[in-house]
């Protein structure tokens, strides 16, 4: 006769996690849930389970599902490109060369987060209230401002165009090509050729600053 396992002993307590660690866990879980199920299909309960937190903790951090959705998209984008722009600002070379690196990095980010970006487009199209909140929040403002400042600093003086508009137009061009590439490009065209074509198109536009 075997002895039964004693379940009455002390259980290991979960290690206390600080707010920063919890925030990162929730954002990572939200990115996966929203990317897989879209804004409407993802639930805060599923996100909390994936992050191994309670829904109460999730709402203390972000307040609402809308706020979490916006943060899951915009915070990683801003963080990723703030670091990228800092690196570019320190590298020698022409604006054209820097722009090519920037477009490559932007394509990488959009391809990795295409599910989330598509969810944002759908949510904005079918929910006027959500679309209004995104405009008011302007979650990409930090990203656009940093890009414009970096471009102006590298060139100096009068650029002959508004760098803030150039950054936004470049972002929109890359987003459209990445999000709709299955519609736009024949299936037999290698993805690497598509990426190069996108980079050359946008880079040639930005390179006007170097003329």
């Amino acid at each position: 006769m075997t002895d039964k396992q004693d379940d009455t002993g002390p259980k290991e307590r979960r290690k206390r996690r600080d707010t920063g660690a919890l925030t990162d866990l929730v954002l990572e879980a939200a990115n996966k849930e929203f990317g897989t199920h879209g804004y409407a299909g993802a639930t805060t309960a599923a996100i909390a389970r994936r992050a191994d937190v309670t829904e109460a903790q999730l709402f203390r951090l972000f307040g609402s599902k809308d706020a979490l959705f916006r943060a899951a998209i915009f915070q990683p984008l801003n963080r990723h490109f703030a670091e990228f722009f800092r690196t570019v600002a320190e590298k020698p070379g022409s604006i054209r060369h820097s722009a090519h690196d920037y477009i490559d990095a932007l394509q990488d980010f959009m391809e990795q987060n295409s599910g989330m970006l598509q969810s944002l487009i759908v949510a904005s199209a079918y929910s006027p209230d959500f679309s209004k909140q995104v405009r008011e929040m302007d979650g990409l403002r930090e990203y656009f401002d940093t890009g414009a400042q970096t471009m102006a600093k590298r060139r100096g003086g009068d650029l002959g165009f508004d760098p803030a508009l150039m950054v936004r137009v470049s972002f929109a061009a890359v987003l459209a090509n990445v999000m709709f590439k299955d519609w736009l490009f024949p299936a037999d065209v290698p993805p690497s050729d598509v990426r190069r074509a996108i980079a050359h198109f946008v880079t040639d536009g930005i390179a006007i600053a170097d003329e």
Side-chain angles (χ1 to χ4, degrees):
M1 185 174 182
T2 58
D3 294 332
K4 292 183 178 180
Q5 185 176 354
D6 183 6
D7 293 330
T8 62
K11 296 181 179 179
E12 184 179 351
R13 297 183 64 182
R14 178 182 294 176
K15 186 176 180 181
R16 186 176 181 85
R17 295 169 292 184
D18 62 27
T19 301
L22 289 176
T23 299
D24 288 343
L25 287 171
V26 172
L27 286 175
E28 182 180 356
N31 190 288
K32 292 176 180 177
E33 285 293 322
F34 286 128
T36 301
H37 302 291
Y39 176 77
T43 66
T44 53
I47 293 169
R49 283 195 301 271
R50 184 186 284 270
D52 193 24
V53 301
T54 66
E55 276 195 275
Q57 287 175 307
L58 183 152
F59 285 117
R60 277 199 296 272
L61 290 169
F62 294 98
S64 68
K65 180 180 175 181
D66 286 351
L68 174 58
F69 181 69
R70 296 195 301 272
I73 291 179
F74 296 131
Q75 285 191 18
L77 181 66
N78 284 329
R79 186 166 55 242
H80 177 83
F81 283 101
E83 178 59 31
F84 173 78
F85 286 132
R86 279 195 296 271
T87 302
V88 167
E90 297 170 357
K91 290 173 62 177
S94 67
I95 286 182
R96 182 185 178 86
H97 181 78
S98 298
H100 202 284
D101 289 345
Y102 155 70
I103 297 304
D104 276 342
L106 188 57
Q107 289 189 77
D108 286 340
F109 185 90
M110 288 184 176
E111 288 171 354
Q112 292 163 10
N113 294 274
S114 59
M116 283 289 291
L117 292 166
Q118 190 166 21
S119 295
L120 174 63
I121 293 170
V122 172
S124 298
Y126 292 99
S127 175
D129 290 340
F130 181 83
S131 183
K132 179 181 178 183
Q133 291 168 356
V134 170
R135 285 196 300 271
E136 289 175 349
M137 179 186 181
D138 195 7
L140 291 171
R141 183 181 301 158
E142 180 183 347
Y143 161 76
F144 290 140
D145 288 349
T146 303
Q149 291 166 11
T150 300
M151 184 180 293
K153 182 178 179 180
R154 286 190 66 90
R155 178 61 177 169
D158 184 9
L159 296 177
F161 63 89
D162 184 349
L165 289 179
M166 183 63 75
V167 170
R168 289 171 184 263
V169 169
S170 300
F171 183 91
V174 176
L175 177 63
N177 278 285
V178 171
M179 296 302 298
F180 302 111
K181 64 182 178 182
D182 291 340
W183 298 1
L184 297 172
F185 305 107
D188 59 347
V189 176
S192 58
D193 288 355
V194 173
R195 284 179 60 94
R196 281 196 296 271
I198 294 171
H200 284 307
F201 172 79
V202 180
T203 301
D204 285 343
I206 296 175
I208 188 175
D210 234 12
E211 293 180 353

